Coordinates of all heavy atoms in Angstrom, one line a residue:
P1 N 102.4 139.4 -0.3 CA 103.7 139.5 0.3 C 103.6 140.2 1.7 O 102.7 141.0 1.9 CB 104.4 140.5 -0.7 CG 103.3 141.1 -1.4 CD 102.2 140.2 -1.4
P2 N 104.5 140.0 2.5 CA 104.5 140.6 3.8 C 104.7 142.1 3.7 O 105.4 142.6 2.8 CB 105.7 139.9 4.6 CG 106.5 139.3 3.6 CD 105.7 139.1 2.4
L3 N 104.1 142.8 4.7 CA 104.2 144.3 4.7 C 105.6 144.7 5.1 O 106.1 144.2 6.1 CB 103.2 144.9 5.6 CG 101.7 144.6 5.2 CD1 100.8 145.1 6.2 CD2 101.4 145.3 3.9
S4 N 106.0 145.8 4.6 CA 107.3 146.4 5.0 C 107.0 147.3 6.3 O 105.9 147.6 6.5 CB 107.9 147.3 4.0 OG 107.1 148.4 3.7
E5 N 108.0 147.6 7.0 CA 108.0 148.4 8.2 C 107.3 149.7 7.9 O 106.4 150.3 8.6 CB 109.3 148.7 8.8 CG 109.4 149.4 10.1 CD 108.8 148.5 11.3 OE1 108.8 147.3 11.2 OE2 108.4 149.2 12.3
E6 N 107.7 150.4 6.7 CA 107.2 151.7 6.3 C 105.7 151.5 6.1 O 104.9 152.4 6.5 CB 108.0 152.1 5.1 CG 107.5 153.5 4.6 CD 108.3 153.9 3.4 OE1 109.5 153.5 3.2 OE2 107.7 154.6 2.5
R7 N 105.3 150.5 5.4 CA 103.9 150.3 5.0 C 103.0 150.1 6.3 O 101.9 150.6 6.4 CB 103.7 149.2 4.1 CG 102.3 149.1 3.5 CD 102.0 150.2 2.6 NE 100.6 150.0 2.0 CZ 99.8 150.9 1.8 NH1 100.0 152.2 2.0 NH2 98.6 150.6 1.3
R8 N 103.6 149.4 7.3 CA 102.9 149.2 8.5 C 102.7 150.4 9.3 O 101.6 150.7 9.8 CB 103.8 148.2 9.4 CG 103.8 146.8 9.0 CD 104.6 146.0 9.9 NE 104.9 144.7 9.3 CZ 104.2 143.6 9.4 NH1 103.1 143.7 10.1 NH2 104.7 142.4 8.9
R9 N 103.6 151.3 9.3 CA 103.6 152.6 10.0 C 102.5 153.5 9.2 O 101.7 154.1 10.0 CB 104.9 153.3 9.9 CG 105.9 152.6 10.9 CD 107.2 153.5 11.2 NE 108.2 152.8 11.8 CZ 108.1 152.4 13.1 NH1 107.1 152.8 13.9 NH2 109.1 151.9 13.6
E10 N 102.4 153.4 7.9 CA 101.4 154.1 7.2 C 99.9 153.6 7.7 O 99.0 154.4 7.9 CB 101.5 154.0 5.7 CG 102.6 154.7 5.2 CD 102.8 154.4 3.7 OE1 101.9 154.0 2.9 OE2 104.0 154.6 3.1
F11 N 99.9 152.3 7.8 CA 98.5 151.7 8.2 C 98.1 152.2 9.6 O 97.1 152.5 10.0 CB 98.5 150.3 8.1 CG 98.3 149.7 6.8 CD1 99.1 148.7 6.3 CD2 97.3 150.2 6.0 CE1 98.8 148.1 5.0 CE2 97.0 149.7 4.7 CZ 97.9 148.7 4.2
V12 N 99.2 152.2 10.6 CA 99.0 152.7 11.9 C 98.5 154.1 11.9 O 97.6 154.6 12.6 CB 100.3 152.5 12.7 CG1 100.2 153.3 14.1 CG2 100.6 151.1 13.0
K13 N 99.2 155.0 11.0 CA 98.8 156.4 10.9 C 97.3 156.5 10.5 O 96.6 157.3 10.9 CB 99.7 157.1 10.0 CG 99.9 158.5 10.2 CD 100.9 159.2 9.2 CE 102.3 159.0 9.7 NZ 103.3 159.7 8.9
M14 N 96.9 155.7 9.5 CA 95.5 155.6 9.0 C 94.6 155.2 10.2 O 93.6 155.8 10.4 CB 95.4 154.8 7.8 CG 95.9 155.3 6.5 SD 95.5 154.5 5.1 CE 96.2 152.8 5.3
A15 N 95.0 154.2 10.9 CA 94.1 153.7 12.0 C 93.9 154.9 13.0 O 92.8 155.0 13.6 CB 94.7 152.5 12.6
K16 N 95.0 155.5 13.4 CA 94.9 156.6 14.3 C 94.0 157.8 13.9 O 93.2 158.4 14.6 CB 96.3 157.2 14.7 CG 97.0 156.2 15.6 CD 98.4 156.8 15.9 CE 99.1 155.9 16.8 NZ 100.5 156.4 17.2
S17 N 94.1 158.0 12.6 CA 93.2 159.1 11.9 C 91.8 158.7 12.0 O 90.9 159.5 12.4 CB 93.7 159.2 10.5 OG 92.8 160.2 9.9
R18 N 91.4 157.4 11.7 CA 90.1 156.9 11.8 C 89.5 157.0 13.3 O 88.4 157.3 13.5 CB 90.0 155.5 11.2 CG 90.5 155.4 9.8 CD 89.4 155.1 8.9 NE 89.9 155.2 7.5 CZ 89.2 154.7 6.6 NH1 88.0 154.2 6.7 NH2 89.7 154.8 5.4
A19 N 90.4 156.6 14.2 CA 90.1 156.7 15.6 C 89.7 158.1 16.1 O 88.8 158.3 16.7 CB 91.1 156.1 16.5
E20 N 90.5 159.0 15.6 CA 90.3 160.5 15.9 C 89.0 160.9 15.3 O 88.2 161.7 15.9 CB 91.5 161.3 15.4 CG 91.4 162.7 15.9 CD 91.3 162.9 17.4 OE1 92.0 162.2 18.1 OE2 90.6 163.7 17.9
D21 N 88.7 160.5 14.1 CA 87.5 160.8 13.4 C 86.2 160.3 14.2 O 85.2 161.0 14.4 CB 87.4 160.2 12.0 CG 88.3 161.0 11.1 OD1 88.8 162.0 11.4 OD2 88.6 160.4 10.0
A22 N 86.4 159.1 14.7 CA 85.3 158.5 15.5 C 85.1 159.2 16.8 O 84.0 159.5 17.2 CB 85.7 157.0 15.9
K23 N 86.2 159.7 17.4 CA 86.1 160.5 18.7 C 85.4 161.8 18.4 O 84.6 162.3 19.2 CB 87.5 160.6 19.3 CG 88.1 159.3 19.9 CD 89.2 159.6 20.8 CE 90.5 159.8 20.0 NZ 91.7 159.7 20.7
V24 N 85.7 162.4 17.3 CA 85.1 163.6 16.9 C 83.6 163.5 16.7 O 82.8 164.3 17.2 CB 85.8 164.2 15.6 CG1 84.9 165.4 15.1 CG2 87.2 164.7 16.0
S25 N 83.2 162.3 16.1 CA 81.8 162.1 15.8 C 81.1 161.8 17.2 O 80.0 162.4 17.4 CB 81.7 160.8 15.0 OG 82.1 161.0 13.8
V26 N 81.8 161.2 18.2 CA 81.2 161.0 19.5 C 81.0 162.4 20.2 O 79.9 162.6 20.7 CB 82.0 160.1 20.4 CG1 81.6 160.1 21.8 CG2 82.0 158.7 19.8
R27 N 82.0 163.2 20.0 CA 81.9 164.5 20.7 C 80.8 165.3 20.0 O 80.0 166.1 20.7 CB 83.2 165.3 20.6 CG 84.3 164.6 21.6 CD 85.6 165.4 21.4 NE 86.6 164.7 22.0 CZ 87.7 164.3 21.3 NH1 87.9 164.7 20.1 NH2 88.7 163.6 21.9
N28 N 80.6 165.3 18.8 CA 79.6 166.0 18.1 C 78.2 165.5 18.5 O 77.2 166.3 18.7 CB 79.6 165.8 16.6 CG 80.8 166.6 15.9 OD1 81.3 167.6 16.6 ND2 81.2 166.2 14.8
A29 N 78.0 164.2 18.7 CA 76.7 163.6 19.2 C 76.5 164.1 20.6 O 75.4 164.5 21.0 CB 76.8 162.1 19.2
R30 N 77.5 164.2 21.4 CA 77.4 164.8 22.8 C 76.9 166.2 22.7 O 76.1 166.6 23.5 CB 78.8 164.7 23.5 CG 78.8 165.4 25.0 CD 80.0 165.5 25.6 NE 80.9 166.4 24.8 CZ 82.2 166.5 25.0 NH1 82.8 165.9 26.0 NH2 82.9 167.3 24.3
R31 N 77.5 167.0 21.9 CA 77.1 168.4 21.8 C 75.7 168.5 21.3 O 75.0 169.3 22.0 CB 78.0 169.1 20.7 CG 77.8 170.6 20.6 CD 78.4 171.3 19.4 NE 77.8 170.7 18.3 CZ 78.4 170.3 17.2 NH1 79.7 170.3 17.2 NH2 77.8 169.8 16.2
D32 N 75.3 167.7 20.4 CA 73.9 167.8 20.0 C 72.9 167.4 21.1 O 71.9 167.9 21.3 CB 73.6 166.8 18.7 CG 74.4 167.3 17.5 OD1 74.7 168.5 17.5 OD2 74.6 166.4 16.6
A33 N 73.2 166.3 21.8 CA 72.4 165.8 23.0 C 72.4 166.9 24.1 O 71.3 167.2 24.6 CB 73.0 164.5 23.5
N34 N 73.5 167.5 24.3 CA 73.5 168.6 25.3 C 72.6 169.8 24.9 O 71.9 170.4 25.7 CB 74.9 169.1 25.6 CG 75.7 168.1 26.4 OD1 75.2 167.2 27.0 ND2 77.0 168.3 26.5
D35 N 72.7 170.1 23.6 CA 71.9 171.2 23.1 C 70.4 170.9 23.2 O 69.6 171.8 23.7 CB 72.2 171.5 21.7 CG 73.6 172.2 21.5 OD1 74.1 172.7 22.5 OD2 74.0 172.2 20.4
M36 N 70.1 169.6 23.0 CA 68.6 169.2 23.1 C 68.2 169.3 24.6 O 67.1 169.8 24.9 CB 68.4 167.8 22.6 CG 68.4 167.7 21.0 SD 67.9 166.1 20.5 CE 69.2 165.1 20.9
L37 N 69.0 168.8 25.5 CA 68.7 168.9 26.9 C 68.5 170.4 27.3 O 67.5 170.7 28.1 CB 69.7 168.3 27.7 CG 69.7 166.7 28.0 CD1 70.9 166.3 28.8 CD2 68.4 166.5 28.7
K38 N 69.4 171.2 26.9 CA 69.4 172.6 27.4 C 68.1 173.3 26.8 O 67.5 174.1 27.5 CB 70.6 173.4 26.9 CG 71.9 172.9 27.8 CD 73.1 173.6 27.3 CE 74.3 173.1 28.1 NZ 75.6 173.7 27.7
S39 N 67.8 173.0 25.6 CA 66.6 173.6 25.0 C 65.3 173.1 25.7 O 64.4 173.9 25.9 CB 66.5 173.4 23.5 OG 66.4 172.1 23.1
A40 N 65.3 171.8 26.0 CA 64.2 171.2 26.7 C 64.0 171.8 28.1 O 62.9 172.2 28.6 CB 64.3 169.7 26.9
Q41 N 65.1 172.2 28.7 CA 65.1 172.8 30.1 C 64.6 174.2 29.9 O 63.7 174.7 30.7 CB 66.4 172.7 30.8 CG 66.4 173.0 32.2 CD 66.5 174.4 32.6 OE1 67.1 175.3 31.9 NE2 65.8 174.8 33.7
K42 N 65.0 174.9 28.9 CA 64.6 176.3 28.6 C 63.1 176.4 28.3 O 62.5 177.3 28.8 CB 65.4 176.9 27.4 CG 65.2 178.3 27.3 CD 66.0 178.8 26.1 CE 67.4 179.2 26.5 NZ 68.2 179.8 25.4
D43 N 62.6 175.4 27.6 CA 61.2 175.4 27.2 C 60.4 174.9 28.4 O 59.1 175.0 28.4 CB 60.9 174.4 26.1 CG 61.6 174.9 24.8 OD1 62.0 176.1 24.8 OD2 61.8 174.0 23.9
G44 N 60.9 174.4 29.4 CA 60.2 174.0 30.7 C 59.7 172.6 30.6 O 58.9 172.1 31.4
D45 N 60.3 171.8 29.7 CA 59.8 170.4 29.5 C 60.5 169.5 30.6 O 60.0 168.5 31.0 CB 60.2 169.8 28.2 CG 59.5 170.4 27.1 OD1 58.4 171.0 27.3 OD2 59.9 170.4 25.9
I46 N 61.8 169.9 31.1 CA 62.4 169.2 32.1 C 62.9 170.2 33.2 O 63.1 171.4 32.9 CB 63.6 168.3 31.6 CG1 64.6 169.2 30.9 CG2 63.1 167.2 30.7 CD1 65.8 168.5 30.5
S47 N 63.2 169.7 34.4 CA 63.7 170.5 35.4 C 65.2 170.7 35.3 O 65.9 170.0 34.6 CB 63.3 170.0 36.8 OG 64.1 168.7 37.0
E48 N 65.8 171.6 36.1 CA 67.2 171.8 36.1 C 67.9 170.5 36.6 O 69.0 170.2 36.0 CB 67.6 173.0 37.1 CG 67.6 174.3 36.4 CD 68.1 175.4 37.3 OE1 69.2 175.2 37.8 OE2 67.4 176.4 37.5
D49 N 67.3 169.9 37.6 CA 68.0 168.7 38.1 C 68.1 167.6 37.1 O 69.0 166.9 36.9 CB 67.2 168.1 39.4 CG 67.5 169.0 40.6 OD1 68.4 169.8 40.6 OD2 66.6 169.0 41.4
E50 N 66.9 167.5 36.3 CA 66.9 166.5 35.3 C 68.0 166.8 34.2 O 68.7 165.9 33.6 CB 65.6 166.4 34.6 CG 64.5 165.7 35.5 CD 63.1 165.8 34.9 OE1 62.8 166.8 34.4 OE2 62.4 164.8 35.0
E51 N 68.1 168.1 33.9 CA 69.1 168.5 32.9 C 70.5 168.2 33.4 O 71.3 167.6 32.6 CB 69.1 170.1 32.6 CG 70.1 170.5 31.7 CD 70.2 172.1 31.7 OE1 69.7 172.6 32.6 OE2 70.8 172.5 30.8
K52 N 70.8 168.5 34.6 CA 72.2 168.2 35.1 C 72.4 166.6 35.2 O 73.5 166.3 34.8 CB 72.3 168.7 36.6 CG 72.4 170.2 36.5 CD 72.6 170.8 37.9 CE 72.7 172.3 37.8 NZ 73.0 172.9 39.1
R53 N 71.4 165.9 35.6 CA 71.6 164.4 35.4 C 71.8 163.9 34.1 O 72.7 163.1 33.8 CB 70.3 163.7 36.1 CG 70.4 163.5 37.5 CD 69.3 162.5 38.0 NE 68.0 162.9 37.7 CZ 67.2 163.7 38.5 NH1 67.6 164.1 39.7 NH2 66.0 164.0 38.2
G54 N 71.1 164.5 33.1 CA 71.2 164.1 31.7 C 72.6 164.5 31.2 O 73.2 163.7 30.5
L55 N 73.0 165.7 31.6 CA 74.4 166.2 31.1 C 75.4 165.2 31.6 O 76.4 164.9 30.9 CB 74.7 167.6 31.5 CG 73.8 168.6 30.8 CD1 74.1 170.1 31.5 CD2 74.0 168.7 29.4
K56 N 75.3 164.8 32.9 CA 76.3 164.0 33.4 C 76.3 162.6 32.8 O 77.3 162.0 32.5 CB 76.1 163.8 35.0 CG 77.2 163.0 35.7 CD 76.9 162.8 37.1 CE 77.9 161.9 37.9 NZ 78.6 160.9 37.1
S57 N 75.1 162.1 32.6 CA 74.9 160.8 31.9 C 75.5 160.8 30.5 O 76.2 159.8 30.1 CB 73.5 160.5 31.9 OG 73.2 159.3 31.1
I58 N 75.3 161.9 29.8 CA 75.8 162.0 28.4 C 77.3 162.1 28.5 O 78.1 161.5 27.7 CB 75.3 163.3 27.8 CG1 73.8 163.0 27.4 CG2 76.0 163.6 26.4 CD1 73.1 164.3 27.1
Q59 N 77.9 162.9 29.5 CA 79.4 162.9 29.6 C 80.0 161.5 30.0 O 81.0 161.2 29.4 CB 79.7 164.0 30.6 CG 81.2 164.2 30.7 CD 81.8 164.7 29.4 OE1 81.3 165.6 28.8 NE2 82.9 164.1 29.0
D60 N 79.3 160.8 30.7 CA 79.7 159.4 31.1 C 79.8 158.6 29.9 O 80.8 157.8 29.7 CB 78.9 158.8 32.2 CG 79.1 159.6 33.6 OD1 80.1 160.3 33.8 OD2 78.3 159.4 34.5
L61 N 78.7 158.6 29.1 CA 78.7 157.8 27.9 C 79.8 158.2 26.9 O 80.5 157.4 26.3 CB 77.3 158.0 27.2 CG 76.1 157.2 27.8 CD1 74.9 157.7 27.1 CD2 76.4 155.7 27.6
T62 N 80.0 159.5 26.8 CA 81.0 160.1 25.9 C 82.4 159.5 26.3 O 83.2 159.1 25.5 CB 81.0 161.6 25.9 OG1 79.7 162.0 25.4 CG2 82.0 162.2 24.9
D63 N 82.6 159.7 27.6 CA 83.9 159.2 28.1 C 84.1 157.8 27.8 O 85.2 157.3 27.4 CB 84.1 159.5 29.6 CG 84.1 161.0 29.9 OD1 84.4 161.8 29.0 OD2 83.9 161.4 31.1
G64 N 83.1 157.0 28.0 CA 83.2 155.6 27.7 C 83.5 155.2 26.4 O 84.3 154.4 26.0
Y65 N 82.8 155.9 25.4 CA 83.0 155.6 23.9 C 84.4 156.1 23.5 O 85.1 155.5 22.7 CB 81.9 156.1 23.1 CG 80.7 155.3 23.2 CD1 79.5 155.7 23.8 CD2 80.6 153.9 22.7 CE1 78.3 155.0 23.9 CE2 79.6 153.2 22.9 CZ 78.4 153.7 23.4 OH 77.3 152.9 23.5
V66 N 84.8 157.3 24.0 CA 86.2 157.7 23.6 C 87.2 156.8 24.1 O 88.1 156.4 23.4 CB 86.4 159.1 24.2 CG1 87.9 159.6 24.1 CG2 85.5 160.2 23.5
K67 N 87.0 156.3 25.3 CA 88.0 155.3 25.8 C 88.0 154.0 25.0 O 89.0 153.5 24.7 CB 87.6 154.9 27.3 CG 88.5 154.0 28.0 CD 88.2 153.8 29.4 CE 89.1 152.7 30.1 NZ 88.6 152.3 31.4
E68 N 86.8 153.5 24.6 CA 86.7 152.4 23.8 C 87.4 152.6 22.4 O 88.0 151.7 21.9 CB 85.2 152.0 23.5 CG 85.0 150.7 22.9 CD 83.5 150.3 22.8 OE1 82.8 150.8 23.6 OE2 83.2 149.6 21.7
C69 N 87.2 153.8 21.8 CA 87.9 154.1 20.5 C 89.4 154.0 20.7 O 90.1 153.5 19.9 CB 87.6 155.5 20.1 SG 85.9 155.7 19.4
D70 N 90.0 154.5 21.9 CA 91.4 154.5 22.1 C 91.9 153.0 22.3 O 92.9 152.6 21.7 CB 91.7 155.2 23.4 CG 91.6 156.8 23.2 OD1 91.7 157.3 22.0 OD2 91.4 157.5 24.2
E71 N 91.0 152.2 23.1 CA 91.5 150.8 23.2 C 91.5 150.0 21.9 O 92.4 149.3 21.6 CB 90.4 150.2 24.2 CG 90.6 150.6 25.6 CD 89.5 150.2 26.5 OE1 88.6 149.4 26.0 OE2 89.5 150.4 27.7
V72 N 90.5 150.2 21.0 CA 90.4 149.6 19.8 C 91.6 149.9 18.9 O 92.2 149.2 18.2 CB 89.0 149.8 19.0 CG1 89.0 149.4 17.6 CG2 87.9 149.2 19.8
C73 N 91.9 151.3 18.9 CA 93.0 151.8 18.1 C 94.4 151.2 18.5 O 95.1 150.8 17.8 CB 93.1 153.3 18.2 SG 94.3 154.0 17.1
S74 N 94.5 151.1 19.9 CA 95.8 150.6 20.3 C 95.9 149.0 20.0 O 97.0 148.6 19.7 CB 96.0 150.8 21.8 OG 95.0 150.2 22.6
K75 N 94.8 148.3 20.2 CA 94.8 146.9 19.7 C 95.1 146.7 18.2 O 95.9 146.0 17.9 CB 93.4 146.3 20.1 CG 93.2 146.0 21.5 CD 91.8 145.3 21.6 CE 91.4 145.1 23.1 NZ 90.1 144.6 23.3
K76 N 94.5 147.6 17.4 CA 94.7 147.5 16.0 C 96.1 147.9 15.7 O 96.8 147.3 14.8 CB 93.8 148.4 15.3 CG 93.8 148.4 13.7 CD 93.7 146.9 13.3 CE 92.4 146.4 13.0 NZ 92.4 145.1 12.3
E77 N 96.7 148.9 16.3 CA 98.1 149.3 16.1 C 99.0 148.1 16.4 O 100.0 147.8 15.7 CB 98.5 150.5 17.0 CG 99.8 151.0 16.8 CD 100.1 152.2 17.8 OE1 99.2 152.8 18.3 OE2 101.4 152.5 17.8
A78 N 98.8 147.5 17.6 CA 99.6 146.3 17.9 C 99.5 145.1 16.9 O 100.5 144.5 16.5 CB 99.2 145.8 19.3
E79 N 98.3 145.0 16.4 CA 98.1 143.9 15.5 C 98.7 144.3 14.1 O 99.4 143.4 13.5 CB 96.5 143.9 15.1 CG 96.1 142.8 14.2 CD 94.6 142.8 14.1 OE1 93.9 143.0 15.0 OE2 94.1 142.6 12.9
I80 N 98.7 145.6 13.7 CA 99.4 145.9 12.4 C 101.0 145.8 12.6 O 101.6 145.3 11.7 CB 99.0 147.3 12.1 CG1 97.5 147.4 11.7 CG2 99.9 147.8 11.0 CD1 97.0 148.8 11.5
M81 N 101.5 146.2 13.7 CA 102.9 146.2 13.9 C 103.4 144.7 14.1 O 104.7 144.5 14.1 CB 103.3 147.1 15.0 CG 103.1 148.6 14.6 SD 103.7 149.1 13.1 CE 105.4 149.2 13.5
E82 N 102.6 143.8 14.5 CA 103.0 142.5 14.7 C 103.6 141.8 13.4 O 103.0 141.9 12.3 CB 101.7 141.7 15.1 CG 102.0 140.3 15.6 CD 100.7 139.6 16.0 OE1 100.1 140.1 17.1 OE2 100.2 138.8 15.3
V83 N 104.7 141.2 13.5 CA 105.4 140.6 12.4 C 105.0 139.2 12.2 O 104.6 138.5 12.9 CB 106.9 140.8 12.5 CG1 107.5 140.1 11.2 CG2 107.3 142.2 12.5

């Protein structure tokens, strides 16, 4: 049977929740990677410049994946609300 408007809104809410969970996971991965870079720099394995480049690269990747999560969520929301 076709979904009711109320049920569609529940599905949208679940999709947004899953997207937020994905963004949190991406941010946790960023934090772990940043910690590894900082400890490597502290141990003398990499230079400060390499650390800064790595941190910027990690931030760029994080921003890209968070943006992708938002795009997928908005597409899915439109798909769910489509009658």
Side-chain angles (χ1 to χ4, degrees):
L3 296 173
S4 68
E5 182 74 20
E6 181 180 326
R7 189 68 176 144
R8 288 178 196 274
R9 293 195 189 282
E10 288 176 21
F11 279 137
V12 168
K13 211 179 274 188
M14 285 192 297
K16 286 183 179 181
S17 173
R18 301 247 177 167
E20 188 59 37
D21 291 345
K23 289 191 280 187
V24 167
S25 296
V26 168
R27 290 185 197 119
N28 286 339
R30 176 190 61 190
R31 187 193 63 227
D32 294 342
N34 285 346
D35 289 345
M36 284 191 288
L37 273 177
K38 288 176 183 178
S39 68
Q41 197 274 329
K42 187 183 274 187
D43 294 341
D45 294 337
I46 61 173
S47 67
E48 272 187 55
D49 290 339
E50 289 174 319
E51 177 193 15
K52 287 183 182 183
R53 274 194 298 269
L55 291 174
K56 183 182 179 332
S57 174
I58 291 167
Q59 185 60 47
D60 291 343
L61 282 171
T62 301
D63 293 342
Y65 283 116
V66 167
K67 183 179 176 187
E68 189 175 330
C69 287
D70 289 335
E71 290 172 358
V72 169
C73 183
S74 64
K75 284 180 187 177
K76 185 50 94 174
E77 180 179 345
E79 185 181 316
I80 291 170
M81 294 307 288
E82 186 177 291
V83 176

